[in-house]
Amino acid sequence: MSTKFENISYRIRRFDPERDTAPHWEEYRVPYTPGMTVLEGLWKVKELHSPTLAWRSSCRMGVCGSCGMLINGKPRLACNTQIAELSSDTVVVAPLPNFDIVRDLVPELAPMFASHQALMPYVIREDVEEREHPTNEFFQSAHELEHYLQFTYCIKCGCCMAACPTFATDALYSGPMPLGQAHRYNSDTRDGGFAARKQMLVGEPGPWRCHYAGECSRVCPKGVDPAKAIQLMKRELVFDYLGLHKTKCPANVAGKPTDGKRRDNIPEAPPHTV
Amino acid sequence: MLDSKSHPNRLGIWGWLGGGRWGVERYLYTLHRLTGLGLLAYFLLHIVVTSGRAFSAAAWTRAMSQVSGPFFKVGEYLVFLAFCFHAINGIRLGLVELGFAVGKPIEPVYPYRTSVDVQRPLALAALAVAFVLAVIGTISMWSD
Ligand code: FES
């Protein structure tokens, strides 16, 4: 889009549960400034036209994951999307599909978090005492970290769930975010929860409903690639079925260093200022 | 779940196609499902028609004459095209779903290169093989 525009149109899907029986579209004109994000435009709409407009946002820097919306037909973060990159002078904003609408652009994400929780997205170990009250860190090499690091960048914005065609027709399917996060923990060498999670991955909620439309990975604003995680998880489950799954014992606790010496070329910390 | 008067917004079947701003793999996904349903319908019809032979030779001849018109010839041709796509794309999906051709986990650095890009050559190769198979079948089906 040429940045010569002075004004920009916002077409917004509105829904007020107290008044409306179904969502409807409303259009607003707001002043455009170069570099403006979709989120900044929404603030302008609220300020100039409709103070009741509701959405979620917090960090405005693509970190908290609360501003996922359907923007010009694609699930994206409003704070992470510049109007200039949409190549249109009309910004069409709707709530993320595949989630119920609470109000205007606010989706009901609770079912997604329920599926996420059901797949136990945390380190599971038999030495519960060590896990809850760690005495030291667990051994993990940089190479082992690479097996799951990419999947830790997930901010749970729900864009992948909104883009997934399987989740669009099957409410029982866990969806890309919860499954990707289950794989993140399955492939963490500190974790021993593969067998427990496997029980939850049987049938409809599990990864077998994914047939690689790849949309979750394409829309993910953090490059997490949930589709990759799901396919790698399927491989692990098939290997497990064939008895070929490498059962790694959860990483051991590293012993406290005993012979550590401070190097003499490290200067002392400056004195406290407050 | 929270108790709110929320409005349902699940896309349903429309979600298979989305708003038309999607990648080629989504359309392969949808086509794979549609051709699968088409092949299933064909198999059911096939079983019904051929089971006539269990009753008598005359019933078999009658059933065969009913499915020998140009309408069924075109139908058979469409079944063949669906088979070409479904079989070859199915092999691609089998490979991808076993974690081959999607690459290893990487550090996500913008602009992100996802597993969809990594397996794209496989998707294109599968389409090319399905196309070649369809051309060979078309020539042999319609040349006599
Ligand atoms: S406001 Fe935090 S990700 Fe957009």
Side-chain angles (χ1 to χ4, degrees):
Chain A
M1 189 197 76
S2 153
T3 45
K4 276 183 253 149
F5 286 102
E6 286 184 0
N7 290 295
I8 188 115
S9 291
Y10 263 71
R11 224 168 104 70
I12 302 178
R13 201 159 187 239
R14 307 280 316 255
F15 173 71
D16 179 349
E18 305 300 322
R19 269 194 354 226
D20 304 332
T21 49
H24 62 280
W25 292 96
E26 282 183 23
E27 202 154 333
Y28 310 94
R29 298 280 290 170
V30 292
Y32 172 77
T33 48
M36 190 164 143
T37 63
V38 172
L39 182 61
E40 286 167 337
L42 287 176
W43 280 112
K44 281 267 176 263
V45 171
K46 197 173 177 78
E47 194 184 311
L48 303 174
H49 303 287
S50 179
T52 59
L53 179 64
W55 72 87
R56 282 197 199 103
S57 67
S58 178
C59 69
R60 52 111 185 99
M61 56 174 79
V63 171
C64 70
S66 38
C67 66
M69 309 173 183
L70 193 71
I71 300 169
N72 285 25
K74 204 175 158 188
R76 314 173 199 238
L77 297 179
C79 69
N80 212 18
T81 307
Q82 293 221 353
I83 290 169
E85 77 188 70
L86 297 175
S87 312
S88 165
D89 61 349
T90 304
V91 183
V92 184
V93 195
L96 283 182
N98 300 337
F99 297 109
D100 289 357
I101 308 170
V102 176
R103 185 190 173 110
D104 293 338
L105 303 172
V106 181
E108 175 59 280
L109 298 177
M112 174 176 81
F113 290 119
S115 304
H116 183 218
Q117 198 177 4
L119 295 179
M120 295 175 275
Y122 39 80
V123 167
I124 300 172
R125 295 176 64 94
E126 276 175 12
D127 49 354
V128 180
E129 181 54 28
E130 181 63 35
R131 192 185 66 194
E132 299 303 327
H133 306 286
T135 52
N136 210 351
E137 62 192 84
F138 297 118
F139 272 124
Q140 185 165 76
S141 69
H143 177 64
E144 288 168 337
L145 173 71
E146 278 170 14
H147 290 157
Y148 69 88
L149 181 64
Q150 176 172 25
F151 312 127
T152 65
Y153 290 101
C154 175
I155 55 172
K156 284 86 184 169
C157 59
C159 287
C160 56
M161 310 283 280
C164 173
T166 301
F167 189 61
T169 47
D170 189 351
L172 294 177
Y173 176 56
S174 296
M177 187 286 272
L179 290 172
Q181 289 311 291
H183 181 69
R184 174 253 174 275
Y185 284 94
N186 277 347
S187 48
D188 188 329
T189 52
R190 295 167 299 178
D191 178 82
F194 180 82
R197 271 181 220 108
K198 195 173 71 175
Q199 308 303 320
M200 309 303 298
L201 294 169
V202 175
E204 296 263 309
W208 306 104
R209 299 298 312 246
C210 166
H211 300 302
Y212 205 71
E215 291 304 342
C216 52
S217 296
R218 197 172 287 115
V219 301
C220 177
K222 306 303 280 184
V224 168
D225 207 342
K228 184 196 284 176
I230 294 173
Q231 312 322 310
L232 295 176
M233 175 198 265
K234 285 184 202 167
R235 173 157 68 185
E236 291 302 313
L237 290 168
V238 170
F239 279 7
D240 180 68
Y241 182 75
L242 298 174
L244 301 172
H245 181 67
K246 281 185 236 137
T247 36
K248 48 184 185 332
C249 340
N252 294 324
V253 180
K256 285 217 165 71
T258 48
D259 56 351
K261 260 201 226 115
R262 189 185 176 86
R263 288 213 313 263
D264 0 305
N265 57 352
I266 300 177
E268 286 300 322
H272 289 292
T273 51
V274 282
Chain B
M1 206 196 300
L2 300 177
D3 185 25
S4 62
K5 281 197 275 170
S6 47
H7 190 271
N9 194 26
R10 193 171 286 278
L11 287 175
I13 299 275
W14 173 241
W16 288 6
L17 289 169
R21 295 177 174 276
W22 308 103
V24 66
E25 284 75 14
R26 172 182 285 249
Y27 297 108
L28 297 184
Y29 166 98
T30 305
L31 201 54
H32 197 80
R33 292 198 146 186
L34 295 178
T35 51
L37 289 172
L39 289 170
L40 182 66
Y42 168 77
F43 281 133
L44 293 177
L45 191 69
H46 179 70
I47 289 166
V48 170
V49 170
T50 53
S51 63
R53 185 63 190 91
F55 300 109
S56 68
W60 167 257
T61 320
R62 206 169 38 246
M64 281 301 102
S65 67
Q66 273 170 1
V67 293
S68 59
F71 177 76
F72 282 96
K73 176 100 176 163
V74 171
E76 260 178 9
Y77 178 60
L78 290 179
V79 167
F80 170 71
L81 292 184
F83 161 76
C84 292
F85 173 78
H86 199 85
I88 305 299
N89 192 50
I91 293 172
R92 172 187 75 96
L93 285 177
L95 288 172
V96 166
E97 293 193 28
L98 285 173
F100 300 108
V102 292
K104 290 184 176 153
I106 49 164
E107 174 80 12
V109 177
Y110 197 81
Y112 306 126
R113 186 165 189 265
T114 67
S115 58
V116 183
D117 304 311
V118 175
Q119 65 77 55
R120 179 68 49 74
L122 180 66
L124 296 178
L127 283 179
V129 173
F131 180 74
V132 170
L133 212 60
V135 169
I136 295 171
T138 305
I139 293 168
S140 81
M141 246 180 122
W142 298 98
S143 59
D144 42 62

